[in-house]
Amino acid sequence: MDCVFCAIAERRLPAHRLYEDEDFIVLLDIFPMRPAHVLIVSHVHAPFLRDLPPPVRERLLTLAERIAAALREAGFGKNGINLLINDGPDSNQHVPHLHLHLIPRRPGDLPALLWRLLVRFLPMGRKRIEARLQDEAERLRLILGKEN
């Protein structure tokens, strides 16, 4: 199979899309570490951050700031959001296509975060997670739609 994020960008695979522009797709991670775990994925297939064209790379943090504000408005990560790029296979990058994780945090969530790290790719509770993703996507789309 080819790159999953390229397939999502080309609409050959479904995704919980929250926002899209000429450079990026913003979507919910289907294997979330925490509620409302968002990915900002480049349209351009770029395995490493250095592979993104400089103008696109420069827009990444500006968009991340906008998405973080939407997450906070929706009640996720009010006092903290992890921004994470796994840049290359040795950094635990599961899909070799540049993507930035925004992982909302809350006080005392470290045990749940560590547990999810261990079991996130197992099929346990998929129906519950899928229902939660649908709800989160609707809430975040409403907020991001208000900004335009």
Side-chain angles (χ1 to χ4, degrees), residues 86-98:
N86 295 320
D87 197 31
D90 291 347
S91 68
N92 201 35
Q93 182 186 44
H94 295 287
V95 179
H97 184 123
L98 194 280

Side-chain angles (χ1 to χ4, degrees), residues 24 56-66 83 100:
F24 298 103
V56 176
R57 192 171 53 232
E58 291 166 9
R59 288 197 56 245
L60 183 58
L61 279 181
T62 301
L63 180 57
E65 183 179 28
R66 178 179 174 198
L83 277 69
L100 169 67

Side-chain angles (χ1 to χ4, degrees), residues 123-140:
M124 304 177 333
R126 279 313 304 172
K127 285 185 180 180
R128 187 184 81 254
I129 290 170
E130 195 56 41
R132 194 187 79 209
L133 290 173
Q134 189 62 39
D135 177 63
E136 292 166 0
E138 290 170 12
R139 290 168 60 189
L140 290 165

